[in-house]
Amino acid sequence: MELNKYDLVDYLVSHFSGMPCDDCPIRKECEEHGKLVGIKGVSYICLKEDKAREALVKKYNL
C-alpha cells in the first residue's frame, strides 16, 4: 500500500493525542502560536486537528 502526503499527515495527527510535548514534531510551531494568542508555553494545537495538519504541511512543505 502506498501512502500519499495526506495519508501521512492524517496518520501523524492521529498520534499527537498521546505524545508528550517534548517529543512533538510541531512543538516550536505550537509555542509560536501560543505567543500569538497570548498563551504562555504551548498552545496545544495538536488538539485541533485542522491546525495540527496545517502546521505539519507548512513545516515539512507537504
Side-chain angles (χ1 to χ4, degrees), residues 29 52-62:
E29 289 79 2
R53 282 187 187 97
E54 182 181 321
L56 281 169
V57 168
K58 284 182 182 177
K59 181 173 183 170
Y60 295 109
N61 295 321
L62 299 173

Side-chain angles (χ1 to χ4, degrees), residues 7-48:
D7 293 333
L8 176 61
V9 170
D10 287 339
Y11 175 79
L12 290 171
V13 169
S14 71
H15 286 77
F16 280 161
S17 63
M19 186 181 298
C21 287
D22 291 338
D23 298 333
C24 184
I26 58 170
R27 181 178 179 164
K28 182 180 175 184
E29 289 79 2
C30 195
E31 290 172 346
E32 289 173 3
H33 182 263
K35 290 176 187 176
L36 289 174
V37 294
I39 299 172
K40 233 178 184 179
V42 295
S43 64
Y44 299 105
I45 59 175
C46 58
L47 299 177
K48 300 174 186 149

